[in-house]
């Protein structure tokens, strides 16, 4: 591999066809080498590091299964890949033999993915991508996950060979099945409407993840649910205290308002009675005047009758009959006529009525006077009660303000808890969708041969035994979990050091499994930091700075003696013993003037001194 630029000397690195170990301190470019290999072979972009300035292209030479040597050249800024059918180690002067797209295409062979797949006999192979038997044309990028493992993936909890994206899990398991069994899924017949279901699930997942992102942004500075629960409990306690105090005042105010209403209603009734009494008294006064008028009229009649002798015995003043011929009322012993008696009787009767009326009017006047006083008392009482209500309102006002503040705060916390509940619901939806994906994965897993899985597990166990891994005999690949199980727990449950060494065992074993059975495989593997973080679980080390030497020693011996492909290892620690004659031992010192500083020179201006010397090789 060579980096070239217009004003800088090429920076090159040779890889052994068998074992290459690049070791040295951090920040010397080891992981950048892994990234550069991945980039030339079709990754989207190259990692940006300061030392890369001045370099414009990266060249990567390969030896094809036919023995021919080719060189890929690609701009460090991305884009297509130029193919030279020769070993090119400096900036090429002529046009490439072929121009390849960096991106896989099912409809064209002019891309690096199809070119490399054709070399290893996997071009046009198809792998299942869902339970509806839809298939996906294999891309070389699908294989890279199984042959090139960066430091982050090496230690990640995600199972080897999987990206962690549930949508791609079926396809990734199918790719592993293709390598283990050499059979693709091109014979599968797709089920109708599966694409719609896939699209719908993808859209649902996208929408739910977007909603989760929005909720997460809203909860950026919000306390955790447990803390919010504690806050709302304290608020409820304060609100209950305020409610008791305000409740007493409110109850007293309510009682006063009820009393005021009662007094007002009583006053209105008295007012009505008072008005009716006044009207009645006016009518009685008219009647009294009528009685007095009648008495005056009857007195005048009596007086006139006496003067005219109407009320004495003699010749009748009306018919002239003599007393002897008159029909007298013998029972009357008075000396007046019946008419005079009638007048007197009427006068007495009227007088009695007048006296009764006078008594009634007197009683009515007393009632009117009493009502007048009661009405005035009622008005004064209403005014007094209203004053008490206003005083209570003044006392209640500030406490109501604090009470409202507490209610507002509680409402805000309840809203935040609601957001957390929404997040939980959305995460449950994602898990449900993942379960749907798991059903698809289960379909793909069912296609994995138990024999192939058992033999692959045996290869992993054998490899770990060689490395001195504890209880390596019980380590196996679990078909259903799609992960390595060691010590009765999945790889993901172990610490990062164990995860790294198990991931390395998976990758080395998969390649060797394919070589032994003449199954297609890219032929090379790249491992970034498989050992540096590993510590045996039951072994006390004098210091935890270095992995156990016995394991490191066994690892390097095994890949040199028992691995048939090309392996490139990046490690922080030096190999405990010299490597074999066909292995390349490349040390980065991170010290100027002492050996090789790193993959790229520290300063490109010092070009004459920073030309990378190639390691011993061809």
């Amino acid at each position: 591999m060579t980096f070239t630029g217009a004003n800088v000397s090429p920076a090159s690195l040779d890889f052994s066809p068998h074992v290459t170990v690049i070791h040295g301190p951090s920040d010397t470019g080891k992981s950048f080498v892994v990234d550069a290999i991945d980039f030339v072979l079709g990754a989207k972009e190259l990692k940006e590091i300061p030392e890369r300035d001045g370099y414009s292209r990266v060249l990567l030479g390969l030896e094809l299964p036919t023995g021919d040597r080719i060189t890929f050249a690609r701009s460090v800024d991305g884009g297509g890949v130029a193919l030279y059918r020769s070993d090119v180690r400096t900036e090429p002067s002529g046009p490439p033999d072929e121009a390849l797209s960096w991106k896989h295409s099912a409809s064209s062979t002019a891309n690096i993915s199809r070119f490399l797949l054709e070399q290893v006999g996997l071009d046009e192979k198809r792998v299942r991508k869902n339970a509806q038997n839809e298939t996906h044309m294999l891309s070389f990028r699908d294989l890279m996950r199984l042959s090139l493992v960066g430091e982050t993936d090496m230690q990640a909890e995600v199972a080897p060979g999987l990206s962690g994206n549930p949508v791609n899990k079926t396809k990734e398991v199918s790719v592993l099945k293709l390598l283990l069994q050499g059979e693709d899924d091109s014979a599968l017949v797709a089920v109708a409407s599966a694409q719609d279901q896939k699209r719908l699930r993808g859209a649902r997942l996208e929408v739910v993840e977007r909603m989760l992102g929005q909720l997460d942004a809203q909860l950026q500075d919000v306390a955790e649910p447990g803390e919010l629960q504690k806050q709302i409990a304290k608020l409820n306690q304060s609100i209950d205290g305020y409610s008791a105090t305000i409740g007493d005042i409110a109850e007293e105010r309510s009682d006063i308002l009820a009393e005021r209403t009662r007094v007002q209603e009583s006053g209105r009734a008295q007012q009505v009675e008072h008005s009716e009494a006044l009207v009645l008294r006016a009518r009685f006064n008219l009647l009294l005047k009528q009685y007095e008028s009648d008495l005056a009229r009857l007195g005048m009649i009596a007086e006139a009758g006496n003067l005219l002798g109407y009320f004495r015995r003699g010749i009748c003043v009306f018919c002239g009959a003599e007393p002897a011929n008159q029909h007298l009322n013998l029972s009357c012993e008075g000396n007046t006529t019946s008419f005079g008696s009638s007048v007197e009787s009427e006068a007495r009767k009227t007088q009695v009525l007048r006296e009764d009326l006078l008594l009634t009017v007197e009683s009515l006047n007393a009632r009117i006077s009493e009502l007048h006083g009661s009405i005035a008392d009622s008005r004064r009482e209403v005014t007094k009660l209203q004053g008490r209500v206003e005083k209570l309102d003044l006392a209640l006002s500030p406490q109501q303000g604090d009470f409202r503040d507490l209610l507002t705060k509680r409402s805000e916390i309840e809203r935040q808890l609601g957001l957390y509940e929404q997040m939980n619901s959305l995460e449950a939806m994602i898990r449900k969708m993942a379960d749907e994906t798991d059903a698809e994965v289960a379909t793909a897993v069912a296609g994995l041969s138990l024999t192939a899985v058992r033999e692959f597990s045996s290869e992993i166990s054998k490899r770990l035994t060689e490395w001195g891994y504890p209880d390596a005999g019980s380590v196996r690949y679990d078909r259903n979990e799609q992960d390595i199980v060691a010590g009765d727990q999945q790889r993901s449950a172990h610490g990062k050091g164990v995860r790294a060494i198990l991931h390395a065992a998976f990758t080395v074993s998969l390649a060797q499994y394919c070589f032994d059975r003449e199954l297609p495989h890219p032929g090379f593997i790249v491992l970034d930091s498989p050992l540096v973080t590993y510590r045996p679980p039951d072994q006390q080390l004098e210091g935890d700075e270095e992995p156990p030497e016995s394991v490191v020693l066994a690892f390097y011996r095994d890949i040199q003696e028992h691995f048939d492909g090309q392996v490139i290892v990046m490690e922080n620690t030096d190999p405990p013993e010299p490597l074999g004659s066909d292995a390349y031992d490349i040390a980065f010192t991170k010290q100027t003037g002492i050996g090789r500083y790193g993959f790229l020179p520290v300063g490109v201006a010092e070009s004459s001194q920073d030309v990378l010397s190639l390691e011993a090789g061809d």
Side-chain angles (χ1 to χ4, degrees):
M1 183 170 66
T2 303
F3 273 68
T4 62
N7 299 313
V8 293
S9 297
S12 299
L13 195 63
D14 269 3
F15 303 118
S16 164
H18 188 204
V19 175
T20 302
V21 179
I22 303 174
H23 55 94
S26 300
D27 294 332
T28 51
K30 300 188 299 298
S31 294
F32 182 73
V33 172
V34 178
D35 191 55
I37 295 172
D38 194 31
F39 172 71
V40 177
L41 296 181
K44 185 176 182 181
E45 58 188 4
L46 178 63
K47 185 186 298 180
E48 185 75 47
I49 60 173
E51 293 82 357
R52 207 191 78 181
D53 290 346
Y55 294 101
S56 58
R57 289 225 289 185
V58 54
L59 313 177
L60 181 66
L62 282 85
E63 183 177 294
L64 302 180
T66 58
D68 295 335
R69 294 195 172 190
I70 62 168
T71 302
F72 291 125
R74 191 178 184 192
S75 167
V76 296
D77 296 323
V81 180
L83 168 62
Y84 295 89
R85 293 192 177 276
S86 58
D87 188 354
V88 181
R89 294 172 182 255
T90 58
E91 179 65 25
S93 57
D97 295 305
E98 292 182 43
L100 302 174
S101 170
W102 66 276
K103 197 170 184 179
H104 177 85
S105 171
S107 59
S108 170
T109 59
N111 56 78
I112 190 170
S113 172
R114 298 285 299 274
F115 177 86
L116 292 172
L117 287 172
E118 184 179 9
Q119 304 306 316
V120 297
L122 290 173
D123 189 28
E124 298 187 343
K125 297 295 183 183
R126 304 193 70 84
V127 289
R128 183 202 301 267
K129 66 177 183 179
N130 56 36
Q132 287 73 42
N133 292 345
E134 283 190 309
T135 58
H136 160 90
M137 178 182 275
L138 181 71
S139 164
F140 195 75
R141 303 302 305 164
D142 297 327
L143 299 179
M144 286 299 287
R145 185 177 301 283
L146 297 167
S147 357
L148 184 146
V149 188
E151 182 177 8
T152 301
D153 290 337
M154 186 72 72
Q155 301 171 4
E157 294 183 4
V158 177
L162 303 180
S163 63
N165 185 344
V167 175
N168 296 328
K169 196 170 183 181
T170 301
K171 182 187 72 175
E172 291 162 354
V173 172
S174 298
V175 172
L176 177 62
K177 189 200 77 171
L178 171 63
L179 292 188
L180 289 177
Q181 300 174 205
E183 301 170 357
D184 74 343
D185 296 318
S186 56
L188 293 176
V189 178
V191 179
S193 78
Q195 185 175 1
D196 293 339
Q197 294 179 17
K198 176 74 174 179
R199 187 183 300 114
L200 178 60
R201 184 164 59 252
R204 285 165 52 204
L205 185 62
E206 181 180 352
V207 170
V208 172
E209 287 180 343
R210 188 179 305 167
M211 293 172 66
L212 264 178
Q214 293 172 351
L215 287 174
D216 187 58
Q218 293 182 54
L219 292 170
Q220 191 68 31
D221 299 322
V222 177
E224 295 298 318
E227 178 61 25
L228 292 179
Q229 292 289 358
K230 292 179 182 177
Q231 292 180 17
I232 206 167
K234 291 180 180 178
L235 282 172
N236 283 333
Q237 190 174 5
S238 300
I239 288 171
D240 290 343
Y242 269 97
S243 297
T245 303
I246 293 175
D248 293 342
I249 297 176
E251 184 178 0
E252 182 181 357
R253 185 178 183 275
S254 178
D255 293 343
I256 294 174
L257 288 176
E259 177 64 13
R260 188 186 67 177
T261 301
R262 188 192 65 75
V263 173
Q264 287 176 328
E265 290 177 351
S266 175
R268 281 194 291 272
Q270 291 172 347
Q271 186 65 45
V272 170
E273 184 182 357
H274 182 264
S275 299
E276 292 175 347
L278 290 177
V279 172
L280 187 60
R281 187 174 68 177
R283 290 178 180 176
F284 284 170
N285 287 334
L286 291 175
L287 184 58
L288 186 60
K289 288 180 181 179
Q290 183 63 44
Y291 285 158
E292 290 175 347
S293 173
D294 289 348
L295 288 172
R297 180 175 54 81
L298 290 171
M300 183 184 70
I301 293 173
E303 184 177 358
N306 289 331
L307 289 175
L308 295 175
Y310 291 161
F311 303 148
R312 294 191 300 271
R313 295 183 61 86
I315 297 170
C316 177
V317 297
F318 297 104
C319 64
E322 293 293 334
N325 299 324
Q326 297 175 6
H327 300 286
L328 302 176
N329 184 359
L330 298 178
S331 62
C332 180
E333 295 180 350
N335 57 358
T336 60
T337 65
S338 297
F339 181 67
S341 298
S342 297
V343 170
E344 290 177 356
S345 175
E346 186 65 21
R348 284 195 298 275
K349 180 181 175 183
T350 303
Q351 185 61 33
V352 169
L353 291 173
R354 177 178 173 275
E355 290 173 354
D356 288 344
L357 183 58
L358 286 173
L359 291 174
T360 300
V361 170
E362 183 179 359
S363 174
L364 184 60
N365 284 336
R367 179 59 182 164
I368 289 172
S369 177
E370 181 184 354
L371 288 172
H372 184 75
S374 297
I375 290 170
D377 290 343
S378 296
R379 288 175 178 169
R380 284 193 291 274
E381 183 65 16
V382 168
T383 302
K384 180 180 176 182
L385 292 172
Q386 182 60 34
R388 292 177 60 187
V389 170
E390 291 174 355
K391 287 182 179 178
L392 290 176
D393 285 344
L394 289 175
L396 200 59
S397 181
Q399 298 194 51
Q400 285 182 327
D402 294 340
F403 188 63
R404 280 194 295 271
D405 292 342
L406 290 174
L407 292 177
T408 301
K409 181 63 177 174
R410 183 173 68 177
S411 177
E412 175 62 17
I413 293 178
E414 288 175 343
R415 186 187 69 83
Q416 293 169 349
L417 286 171
L419 294 179
Y420 276 116
E421 290 179 0
Q422 289 182 42
M423 284 193 70
N424 292 334
S425 298
L426 293 176
E427 287 172 351
M429 291 176 66
I430 288 179
R431 287 195 292 273
K432 184 178 179 181
M433 284 185 271
D435 290 341
E436 294 172 359
T437 302
D438 288 344
E440 295 180 349
V441 174
T443 303
V445 166
L448 269 176
S449 161
L450 289 174
T451 301
V453 171
R454 185 172 59 254
E455 293 179 357
F456 180 45
S457 293
S458 176
E459 183 69 34
I460 295 175
S461 176
K462 183 175 69 176
R463 192 67 60 182
L464 289 170
T465 300
E466 292 288 341
W467 298 353
Y469 183 85
D471 298 324
S474 64
V475 177
R476 60 186 172 83
Y477 180 78
D478 190 298
R479 187 179 75 156
N480 296 321
E481 299 296 337
Q482 303 94 51
D483 200 359
I484 296 174
V485 175
D488 293 330
Q489 60 184 16
Q490 293 181 32
R491 170 187 165 277
S492 58
H494 288 280
K496 63 180 181 180
V498 173
R499 292 200 298 268
I501 199 168
L502 292 179
H503 198 148
F506 174 93
T507 306
V508 173
S509 301
L510 177 62
Q512 189 60 48
Y513 174 97
C514 294
F515 300 151
D516 291 342
R517 293 159 181 78
E518 297 183 350
L519 294 171
H521 186 277
F524 65 89
I525 59 174
V526 180
L527 305 175
D528 190 355
S529 305
L531 303 172
V532 66
T533 55
Y534 174 67
R535 303 292 183 275
D538 56 351
Q539 181 177 341
Q540 294 295 327
L541 299 175
E542 295 182 357
D544 59 353
E545 297 298 325
E546 301 288 341
E549 182 176 321
S550 60
V551 172
V552 178
L553 190 65
F555 171 82
Y556 286 123
R557 284 179 178 174
D558 178 60
I559 60 175
Q560 292 181 85
E561 297 172 3
H562 303 123
F563 186 70
D564 296 332
Q566 183 185 34
V567 54
I568 301 171
V569 179
M570 313 291 168
E571 262 300 345
N572 283 37
T573 56
D574 300 342
E577 64 181 6
L579 300 178
S581 59
D582 62 343
Y584 288 5
D585 184 340
I586 304 174
F588 293 161
T589 63
K590 203 178 181 181
Q591 297 183 47
T592 305
I594 301 177
R596 181 170 183 170
Y597 182 92
F599 174 53
L600 296 175
V602 179
V604 296
E606 302 173 1
S607 57
S608 61
Q609 299 177 357
D610 292 332
V611 174
L612 300 176
S613 59
L614 302 181
E615 298 298 324
D618 51 355

